[in-house]
Amino acid sequence: GAVGGLSEEPGRQACPGNVQENPASSCLEVSQCDPQLPSEHYWITSSNGTAVLVYCDMTRECSCSSASVGGWSRVAYLNMTDPTHQCPPAWREIAEPVRVCGRTN
């Protein structure tokens, strides 16, 4: 079945990432195909060549790339409201104003 907000309605652009048989190379590729797609799971080709479902954020803005909106891949989810969750080793905890993980510079 279709994922990634793409229905199988006639005339709808068939972007990569919609079905496992046609994975995208990245969330950015999906976003560039159709900037109106919602943030949700899409099929992306992993480093070993298999298709995996990845959550793609299609709304986050960043001036750090030419693709200023959308196409971001979620690589981890930490519920930092849960005191048992810790930041990954290469990251540090920032407690104010809310508890989050951040990279050290």
Side-chain angles (χ1 to χ4, degrees), residues 50-95:
T50 60
V52 294
L53 271 177
V54 173
Y55 183 82
C56 297
D57 184 332
M58 301 304 197
T59 60
R60 190 166 311 273
E61 295 186 31
C62 177
S63 61
C64 58
S65 74
S66 59
S68 60
V69 178
W72 296 96
S73 305
R74 179 188 290 169
V75 295
Y77 177 78
L78 297 170
N79 178 1
M80 294 305 286
T81 61
D82 181 339
T84 64
H85 286 205
Q86 302 297 314
C87 295
W91 297 62
R92 65 183 175 89
E93 184 176 315
I94 303 167

